[in-house]
Short mmCIF file of all heavy atoms in Angstrom, two decimals:
data_model
loop_
_atom_site.label_atom_id
_atom_site.label_comp_id
_atom_site.label_asym_id
_atom_site.label_seq_id
_atom_site.Cartn_x
_atom_site.Cartn_y
_atom_site.Cartn_z
N ALA A 1 6.21 -2.32 -11.96
CA ALA A 1 6.39 -3.55 -12.75
C ALA A 1 7.82 -4.03 -12.53
O ALA A 1 8.76 -3.23 -12.60
CB ALA A 1 6.15 -3.29 -14.24
N ALA A 2 7.97 -5.30 -12.25
CA ALA A 2 9.27 -5.85 -11.88
C ALA A 2 9.89 -6.66 -13.01
O ALA A 2 9.23 -7.50 -13.62
CB ALA A 2 9.14 -6.74 -10.65
N ASP A 3 11.16 -6.39 -13.27
CA ASP A 3 11.98 -7.29 -14.07
C ASP A 3 12.68 -8.22 -13.09
O ASP A 3 13.51 -7.78 -12.29
CB ASP A 3 12.99 -6.50 -14.89
CG ASP A 3 13.88 -7.37 -15.77
OD1 ASP A 3 14.11 -8.55 -15.42
OD2 ASP A 3 14.37 -6.88 -16.80
N CYS A 4 12.34 -9.50 -13.13
CA CYS A 4 12.90 -10.46 -12.16
C CYS A 4 13.90 -11.41 -12.80
O CYS A 4 14.13 -12.52 -12.28
CB CYS A 4 11.77 -11.24 -11.50
SG CYS A 4 10.78 -10.24 -10.38
N SER A 5 14.48 -11.01 -13.92
CA SER A 5 15.43 -11.90 -14.60
C SER A 5 16.67 -12.16 -13.74
O SER A 5 17.22 -13.27 -13.75
CB SER A 5 15.83 -11.32 -15.95
OG SER A 5 16.34 -10.00 -15.82
N ARG A 6 17.11 -11.16 -12.99
CA ARG A 6 18.29 -11.39 -12.13
C ARG A 6 17.96 -12.36 -11.01
O ARG A 6 18.78 -13.21 -10.65
CB ARG A 6 18.78 -10.07 -11.56
CG ARG A 6 19.34 -9.11 -12.59
CD ARG A 6 20.15 -8.01 -11.91
NE ARG A 6 20.48 -6.93 -12.81
CZ ARG A 6 21.63 -6.26 -12.79
NH1 ARG A 6 22.54 -6.57 -11.90
NH2 ARG A 6 21.84 -5.27 -13.63
N LEU A 7 16.78 -12.21 -10.42
CA LEU A 7 16.37 -13.15 -9.37
C LEU A 7 16.31 -14.56 -9.91
O LEU A 7 16.81 -15.51 -9.27
CB LEU A 7 15.00 -12.74 -8.82
CG LEU A 7 14.42 -13.66 -7.75
CD1 LEU A 7 15.18 -13.50 -6.44
CD2 LEU A 7 12.92 -13.38 -7.54
N GLN A 8 15.71 -14.74 -11.07
CA GLN A 8 15.59 -16.08 -11.64
C GLN A 8 16.96 -16.67 -11.93
O GLN A 8 17.20 -17.87 -11.70
CB GLN A 8 14.75 -16.04 -12.92
CG GLN A 8 14.47 -17.42 -13.49
CD GLN A 8 13.29 -17.43 -14.44
OE1 GLN A 8 12.86 -16.38 -14.91
NE2 GLN A 8 12.77 -18.61 -14.71
N ALA A 9 17.88 -15.86 -12.44
CA ALA A 9 19.23 -16.35 -12.71
C ALA A 9 19.94 -16.76 -11.43
O ALA A 9 20.75 -17.70 -11.41
CB ALA A 9 20.05 -15.29 -13.45
N TRP A 10 19.62 -16.07 -10.31
CA TRP A 10 20.31 -16.31 -9.04
C TRP A 10 19.78 -17.54 -8.32
O TRP A 10 20.55 -18.33 -7.78
CB TRP A 10 20.18 -15.07 -8.16
CG TRP A 10 21.00 -15.08 -6.90
CD1 TRP A 10 20.54 -15.25 -5.63
CD2 TRP A 10 22.42 -14.92 -6.79
NE1 TRP A 10 21.58 -15.19 -4.73
CE2 TRP A 10 22.75 -14.99 -5.41
CE3 TRP A 10 23.44 -14.71 -7.72
CZ2 TRP A 10 24.06 -14.86 -4.95
CZ3 TRP A 10 24.74 -14.58 -7.25
CH2 TRP A 10 25.03 -14.66 -5.89
N ILE A 11 18.44 -17.71 -8.29
CA ILE A 11 17.86 -18.80 -7.49
C ILE A 11 17.11 -19.84 -8.33
O ILE A 11 16.61 -20.82 -7.78
CB ILE A 11 16.91 -18.25 -6.40
CG1 ILE A 11 15.72 -17.52 -7.02
CG2 ILE A 11 17.67 -17.36 -5.42
CD1 ILE A 11 14.66 -17.12 -5.99
N GLY A 12 17.01 -19.61 -9.63
CA GLY A 12 16.39 -20.60 -10.50
C GLY A 12 14.88 -20.56 -10.57
O GLY A 12 14.28 -21.47 -11.15
N THR A 13 14.26 -19.55 -10.00
CA THR A 13 12.80 -19.44 -10.06
C THR A 13 12.40 -17.99 -9.87
O THR A 13 13.23 -17.14 -9.53
CB THR A 13 12.12 -20.31 -8.99
OG1 THR A 13 10.72 -20.37 -9.22
CG2 THR A 13 12.38 -19.79 -7.58
N ARG A 14 11.12 -17.72 -10.08
CA ARG A 14 10.57 -16.38 -9.87
C ARG A 14 9.10 -16.54 -9.56
O ARG A 14 8.50 -17.59 -9.81
CB ARG A 14 10.75 -15.53 -11.13
CG ARG A 14 10.10 -16.12 -12.36
CD ARG A 14 10.32 -15.27 -13.58
NE ARG A 14 9.67 -13.99 -13.47
CZ ARG A 14 9.94 -12.94 -14.26
NH1 ARG A 14 10.86 -13.05 -15.20
NH2 ARG A 14 9.28 -11.81 -14.11
N PRO A 15 8.45 -15.53 -8.97
CA PRO A 15 7.01 -15.62 -8.69
C PRO A 15 6.21 -15.94 -9.95
O PRO A 15 6.49 -15.40 -11.02
CB PRO A 15 6.67 -14.24 -8.14
CG PRO A 15 7.95 -13.78 -7.50
CD PRO A 15 9.03 -14.29 -8.40
N SER A 16 5.21 -16.83 -9.80
CA SER A 16 4.46 -17.26 -10.98
C SER A 16 2.98 -17.50 -10.74
O SER A 16 2.24 -17.79 -11.68
CB SER A 16 5.08 -18.55 -11.54
OG SER A 16 5.04 -19.59 -10.57
N THR A 17 2.50 -17.41 -9.50
CA THR A 17 1.09 -17.66 -9.22
C THR A 17 0.22 -16.60 -9.89
O THR A 17 0.44 -15.40 -9.70
CB THR A 17 0.83 -17.67 -7.70
OG1 THR A 17 1.63 -18.68 -7.10
CG2 THR A 17 -0.64 -17.94 -7.40
N SER A 18 -0.78 -17.04 -10.66
CA SER A 18 -1.64 -16.10 -11.38
C SER A 18 -2.51 -15.32 -10.41
O SER A 18 -2.80 -15.77 -9.29
CB SER A 18 -2.52 -16.85 -12.37
OG SER A 18 -3.49 -17.63 -11.69
N LEU A 19 -2.96 -14.15 -10.85
CA LEU A 19 -3.81 -13.32 -10.01
C LEU A 19 -5.11 -14.04 -9.66
O LEU A 19 -5.57 -13.97 -8.51
CB LEU A 19 -4.13 -12.00 -10.72
CG LEU A 19 -4.98 -11.02 -9.90
CD1 LEU A 19 -4.18 -10.46 -8.74
CD2 LEU A 19 -5.49 -9.88 -10.79
N SER A 20 -5.70 -14.74 -10.61
CA SER A 20 -6.98 -15.41 -10.34
C SER A 20 -6.83 -16.46 -9.25
O SER A 20 -7.68 -16.57 -8.35
CB SER A 20 -7.53 -16.05 -11.61
OG SER A 20 -6.63 -17.00 -12.15
N ILE A 21 -5.76 -17.24 -9.29
CA ILE A 21 -5.54 -18.26 -8.25
C ILE A 21 -5.25 -17.59 -6.91
O ILE A 21 -5.80 -17.97 -5.87
CB ILE A 21 -4.38 -19.19 -8.66
CG1 ILE A 21 -4.79 -20.07 -9.84
CG2 ILE A 21 -3.93 -20.05 -7.47
CD1 ILE A 21 -3.67 -20.93 -10.40
N GLY A 22 -4.39 -16.59 -6.93
CA GLY A 22 -4.04 -15.92 -5.68
C GLY A 22 -5.23 -15.24 -5.04
O GLY A 22 -5.42 -15.32 -3.81
N ILE A 23 -6.06 -14.58 -5.83
CA ILE A 23 -7.23 -13.90 -5.28
C ILE A 23 -8.26 -14.90 -4.77
O ILE A 23 -8.90 -14.68 -3.73
CB ILE A 23 -7.85 -12.96 -6.33
CG1 ILE A 23 -6.96 -11.73 -6.53
CG2 ILE A 23 -9.26 -12.53 -5.93
CD1 ILE A 23 -6.85 -10.85 -5.30
N ASP A 24 -8.43 -16.02 -5.44
CA ASP A 24 -9.34 -17.06 -4.95
C ASP A 24 -8.90 -17.55 -3.56
O ASP A 24 -9.73 -17.72 -2.66
CB ASP A 24 -9.40 -18.24 -5.92
CG ASP A 24 -10.34 -17.99 -7.09
OD1 ASP A 24 -11.13 -17.03 -7.02
OD2 ASP A 24 -10.28 -18.76 -8.06
#
């Protein structure tokens, strides 16, 4: 399980695509 708060603070975004959309 990833804590991506540092990534979001650095580049302004983080992965967000839901599993259902990605698997489809």
Side-chain angles (χ1 to χ4, degrees):
D3 180 333
C4 290
S5 55
R6 293 196 192 216
L7 177 72
Q8 186 161 16
W10 188 253
I11 63 173
T13 190
R14 58 181 295 165
S16 60
T17 301
S18 69
L19 182 70
S20 60
I21 291 174
I23 287 296
D24 278 347

